[in-house]
Amino acid sequence: MYHSNSKENGTARWLIFSLILFGVLSISWKILSALPEKPETTILLSTKNQTPKIDKQADQILKQMSDYLTSLDQFSYNSKGSFEEVLKDNKKHQTSYNSEVYVDRPNKLRVNAASGEKAASVYYDGSQFTVMGKKINMYAQASAPPTLDQALDAARDKLQLDPPGADLIYTNPYTGLLEEIIEGKFKGDEKINGISCYRLAFKSKEVDWDIWIEKGDKPLPRKYEIISKNMPEKPAFLVEFSDWNVKPTLNNEMFAFVPPADSRKVDFVQAKEMKDAKKNSK
Amino acid sequence: MKNLSSLNLKKCAAFIVAFFLFVLGAEEIMAQYIHNDEIRRDVRGTARRSARRVERRHDIIEGDVGYVAPVAAAAAVTTAAILYSLPHGCIDRSGIYDCNGIRYRPQYQGANLVYIQVND
């Protein structure tokens, strides 16, 4: 009797012990899986160690486009696109826009953009950025680095400002585009607005992007699509380029901002102000 | 002895049920922390050149749409510290907009004009 009782007790103990173990494990698993992914530096390093699998053809076509864009001292294009935003209820919201972009290397940029009822111009004259809202007649200015590449980085990082298709107006788009790429494929021929193009598809850990490049002696980008994979809703950014002019008539006045009559100067929002404002809203 | 062992089994069963309820409860509590925005944002953190545009748009939107006028105009007037457009009836007092006693200063976030609440 004593023997069987201790046996039962032992079984019960084991049962309880294993249940507790199971519970602890399942909870810690949930905690661990909810933790943020490894810091960015680790991702960068680990991706750099991987050899990207890029089709020779895809690589060549992208390089040709990049070299062609690099060779241009001045160019202008129109871009028409849309971006999807994920709202708090996880629904996607699409916004369309149109813009004219004028580039004068090494250090001038002008963008006229319109989205819905809003219209704004962005100026970079080699020493400062200006954003001018046309309908509201208000503008903001900030000092800018001396080259277009540095200016594009600074505009995006400090002012949250980036012209549509900015990836393609760096001095060497090839290098920038292939950062982080793990796979690149040639997907055949497709027509974009009646123009014969090569379609290339690239994948990185966070985004998939496709680019359509014009066939022939002017390998210009005609369409560019980015899908973000790091959100379950996979929002897309899409842009089509048209009216490419590789020998535009540009003058300094286009890049130099002169405040219109009765316009009002305001500030750019600083990251800290935005953070505080968000805090206050909650 | 038979009585004792059945008592033990009952205890054991009660313990098991309690334990599963505890696990379920713990998950519910933890879910609040797991599914909040803060964590989602952390998981998303990247800085790829091609990705940045899309990334940032999400950051702006996820952070802000709750307070943006077009989405929740009525609520925005009373609670928002950031507005993407002003509600009707705001008065321009030398550059600061007075909306029912709450004052907003226009500022650019990128190429978008936003209105940030002025705190005294």
Side-chain angles (χ1 to χ4, degrees), chain A residues 47-245:
Chain A
T47 326
K48 265 183 187 160
N49 289 337
Q50 283 178 15
T51 319
K53 291 175 192 162
I54 302 176
D55 282 359
K56 209 175 173 185
Q57 208 173 355
D59 189 65
Q60 264 175 6
I61 296 167
L62 192 73
K63 185 82 170 58
Q64 274 166 12
M65 176 200 76
S66 177
D67 289 347
Y68 183 64
L69 288 173
T70 306
S71 76
L72 304 173
D73 290 330
Q74 298 181 324
F75 58 90
S76 67
Y77 60 84
N78 282 359
S79 79
K80 188 178 174 185
S82 63
F83 51 90
E84 288 176 338
E85 298 159 321
V86 179
L87 308 184
K88 286 214 154 182
D89 58 6
N90 294 335
K91 282 183 187 149
K92 286 197 272 193
H93 176 257
Q94 197 183 56
T95 310
S96 303
Y97 71 88
N98 270 298
S99 69
E100 300 159 12
V101 180
Y102 302 89
V103 176
D104 188 359
R105 286 184 169 136
N107 60 4
K108 289 183 180 66
L109 174 74
R110 164 82 178 265
V111 179
N112 297 328
S115 176
E117 290 181 359
K118 292 179 182 173
S121 284
V122 177
Y123 299 74
Y124 164 61
D125 63 3
S127 65
Q128 64 180 2
F129 297 115
T130 308
V131 171
M132 172 75 209
K134 287 184 180 160
K135 305 226 164 127
I136 38 182
N137 210 20
M138 289 186 207
Y139 68 95
Q141 286 184 311
S143 63
T147 67
L148 184 57
D149 281 14
Q150 291 169 332
L152 289 170
D153 283 341
R156 183 182 47 236
D157 296 342
K158 292 181 185 157
L159 308 176
Q160 301 177 18
L161 184 68
D162 51 353
D167 297 320
L168 302 166
I169 55 182
Y170 279 83
T171 313
N172 185 349
Y174 178 82
T175 318
L177 286 168
L178 290 187
E179 274 176 19
E180 300 297 310
I181 288 304
I182 48 178
E183 193 186 300
K185 280 185 175 163
F186 174 64
K187 303 287 264 187
D189 301 351
E190 273 179 38
K191 277 199 171 178
I192 302 297
N193 298 322
I195 295 164
S196 296
C197 295
Y198 298 116
R199 179 178 182 176
L200 313 178
F202 292 86
K203 283 181 196 295
S204 76
K205 191 166 180 279
E206 306 280 338
V207 296
D208 289 347
W209 56 269
D210 284 25
I211 193 162
W212 287 257
I213 297 170
E214 187 174 335
K215 289 184 182 181
D217 59 351
K218 284 184 181 174
L220 290 163
R222 287 291 171 179
K223 188 177 168 185
Y224 182 39
E225 186 176 24
I226 306 174
I227 311 274
S228 289
K229 293 188 289 188
N230 50 4
M231 300 190 75
E233 297 81 9
K234 295 193 176 171
F237 167 78
L238 177 73
V239 58
E240 284 183 8
F241 305 99
S242 63
D243 301 278
W244 275 99
N245 186 345

Side-chain angles (χ1 to χ4, degrees), chain A residues 8 138 156 180 230 264, chain B residues 5 48 52 55 92 108:
Chain A
E8 267 176 29
M138 289 186 207
R156 183 182 47 236
E180 300 297 310
N230 50 4
R264 182 190 292 171
Chain B
S5 73
R48 237 70 65 240
R52 276 179 204 152
E55 292 306 324
D92 183 356
Y108 274 100

